[in-house]
Amino acid sequence: MKIQPASAAFTVVLGFLAAVPYSGIDINLPALAATGAALGTSPSHVGLTMSVYMLGLAIAPLLYGPISDRVGRKPVVVFGLVLFVFASLACAAAQSLPMLLICRAVQGVGAAGTTTIFAVIRDLFDEASGRAKIGSVMIAINVVTVIAPTAGAALLAIGGWRLIYAAQAVAGLILIPTVLYGLAESAKFDAANRIAAFTVLKDYLRIVTHPVSMAFILIGAAAGSAVFAYVTGSSLYFIKVAGLQPQQYGMIFSACSAAVMFGAFLDGQLGRRGVAPADVLTVGLVLLFVASSTMLVTTLAGLSPPALVTSLLMVVALAFGLSMPNLMNATMQPLPDIAGAVSAAAGSIQLGSGAIASGLVALLFDGRSALSMAAVMAATTLLALTLYLRFTRSAGRPLAT
């Protein structure tokens, strides 16, 4: 019996699928030093496993999206999960850093197959219900990000770093039959519409030239870059500058993830009460910029105690939770026939821009303050707000759908 799209179980399954790419990052964070010791290399070199994993996440959706528009969402998700399982097992068995890097890149390619679930939402739900469903999926993603670092530390203590990858393989194995037997195909595709390089390029040309979809893709990428800057910069600031213990930092990270969940939940409640998505998105983007720029100003003034930085990061997280369901929904609405390609383009551009923001934070880190994090976050949130205001003026209405 198939899981009904309107049910809570359907949302939970989509949430777990959407969390697969993120779980491959957070659960491995506590094991970098142990992995380096086991393979005879430094933790900083092992950190490259995160980079190659994210590279796979950024590139693979560009192929998965158009394929899912032509053969369906389920085959792509199942293929990605199978690849994720085998790559996770290969990571667990790796005996050298080069082999681990290769396996992590393949693992990222596999995990990227689950990013098509946002196209599933576009297939099955209208604008209002799609906005609520995306918000619920974001809550599920952040539940995983809250528990993943703690779970990784526990698995590391029980059986070492290889057990973490084995656990990821088990999670993928559980999801495969769930997708195969629990989810119906959602895509409405034409079987005669064959996959070809020209048609794929044509789809992406439609996306980058579409004034609404591309505008919201860029706005979402700029807003998402602020979060990537926070993820990189917060660990550098709180542990290396403020001197907090990893466990204390973990609590701050979890609190920010909870703030994202609350923002997504609040957006859903506002939607049910008839509040326009444009109003919520405007408030969210303004909050993102105000909190980030406040952090930059206080840091430049030498007034950035951990408590203040934590409070401002939680406001950023709350604003991100408010904004992203509306941004994703607005991105997907205009091109329903190639929703998979739209989802892929949005995810790849956001990951690419996020990687750049993350790299800038690490490169500019002065070892004494949160300046690099605050500066990059202020710049990216200003860009997101400026793009949105420019788009609303040119479109003549606050949120085109």
Side-chain angles (χ1 to χ4, degrees):
M1 183 178 295
K2 304 298 184 183
I3 301 173
Q4 295 302 308
S7 67
F10 187 82
T11 303
V12 171
V13 172
L14 291 188
F16 279 124
L17 289 171
V20 168
Y22 301 93
S23 66
I25 298 172
D26 299 324
I27 198 171
N28 292 290
L29 290 175
L32 295 182
T35 305
L39 299 179
T41 187
S42 67
S44 60
H45 287 163
V46 177
L48 292 173
T49 60
M50 298 295 180
S51 300
V52 297
Y53 179 83
M54 290 182 63
L55 184 63
L57 282 179
I59 295 176
L62 295 175
L63 295 175
Y64 288 146
I67 292 173
S68 75
D69 288 331
R70 287 161 174 80
V71 305
R73 317 299 183 203
K74 278 181 64 173
V76 171
V77 173
V78 172
F79 172 81
L81 288 172
V82 171
L83 189 60
F84 178 79
V85 168
F86 280 106
S88 299
L89 293 174
C91 288
Q95 299 298 317
S96 67
L97 180 60
M99 181 56 66
L100 182 60
L101 289 172
I102 294 172
C103 295
R104 280 286 277 170
V106 177
Q107 190 189 34
V109 172
T114 65
T115 59
T116 57
I117 65 98
F118 289 104
V120 172
I121 295 174
R122 177 61 188 88
D123 294 337
L124 298 174
F125 301 96
D126 59 21
E127 180 186 357
S129 56
R131 168 189 173 190
K133 190 65 69 173
I134 291 173
S136 299
V137 168
M138 284 190 61
I139 292 174
I141 291 173
N142 281 276
V143 168
V144 173
T145 62
V146 167
I147 65 176
T150 303
L155 291 169
L156 180 64
I158 294 171
W161 65 274
R162 299 183 188 276
L163 184 59
I164 295 176
Y165 290 110
Q168 293 177 64
V170 171
L173 280 173
I174 293 172
L175 287 171
I176 290 172
T178 304
V179 174
L180 279 174
Y181 302 110
L183 301 185
E185 178 55 59
S186 65
K188 301 173 180 63
F189 54 89
D190 182 0
N193 193 3
R194 299 173 60 188
I195 301 172
F198 174 76
T199 56
V200 171
L201 291 174
K202 186 178 178 181
D203 287 346
Y204 284 122
L205 183 61
R206 283 182 63 193
I207 294 168
V208 299
T209 57
H210 195 284
V212 178
S213 278
M214 197 60 203
F216 284 109
I217 286 174
L218 294 176
I219 295 167
S225 294
V227 175
F228 278 95
Y230 140 68
V231 171
T232 299
S234 61
S235 61
L236 294 173
Y237 168 74
F238 285 115
I239 295 177
K240 293 189 176 182
V241 177
L244 300 185
Q245 295 298 313
Q247 295 86 348
Q248 294 172 304
Y249 169 67
M251 293 177 64
I252 294 173
F253 191 91
S254 296
C256 289
S257 294
V260 176
M261 286 189 284
F262 180 73
F265 172 78
L266 180 60
D267 173 64
Q269 295 301 308
L270 293 173
R272 292 184 182 92
R273 286 165 172 76
V275 179
D279 296 334
V280 180
L281 180 55
T282 302
V283 170
L285 292 176
V286 169
L287 273 179
L288 274 173
F289 173 65
V290 169
S292 299
S293 58
T294 300
M295 189 187 309
L296 177 60
V297 171
T298 55
T299 300
L300 289 171
L303 302 173
S304 56
L308 176 61
V309 175
T310 300
S311 300
L312 292 172
L313 288 177
M314 289 186 67
V315 175
V316 168
L318 172 67
F320 185 74
L322 277 173
S323 304
M324 284 311 293
N326 297 288
L327 283 171
M328 284 299 299
N329 200 32
T331 299
M332 304 286 292
Q333 287 295 325
L335 298 170
D337 57 316
I338 53 170
V342 175
S343 175
S348 294
I349 292 174
Q350 186 175 110
L351 281 167
S353 61
I356 293 172
S358 177
L360 285 173
V361 171
L363 181 66
L364 300 175
F365 179 60
D366 58 11
R368 303 186 305 273
S369 69
L371 182 58
S372 66
M373 174 178 68
V376 173
M377 290 178 65
T380 54
T381 54
L382 175 61
L383 177 61
L385 183 58
T386 301
L387 287 172
Y388 179 64
L389 294 177
R390 183 180 179 87
F391 169 72
T392 56
R393 282 199 302 269
S394 62
R397 55 186 183 276
L399 190 60
T401 55

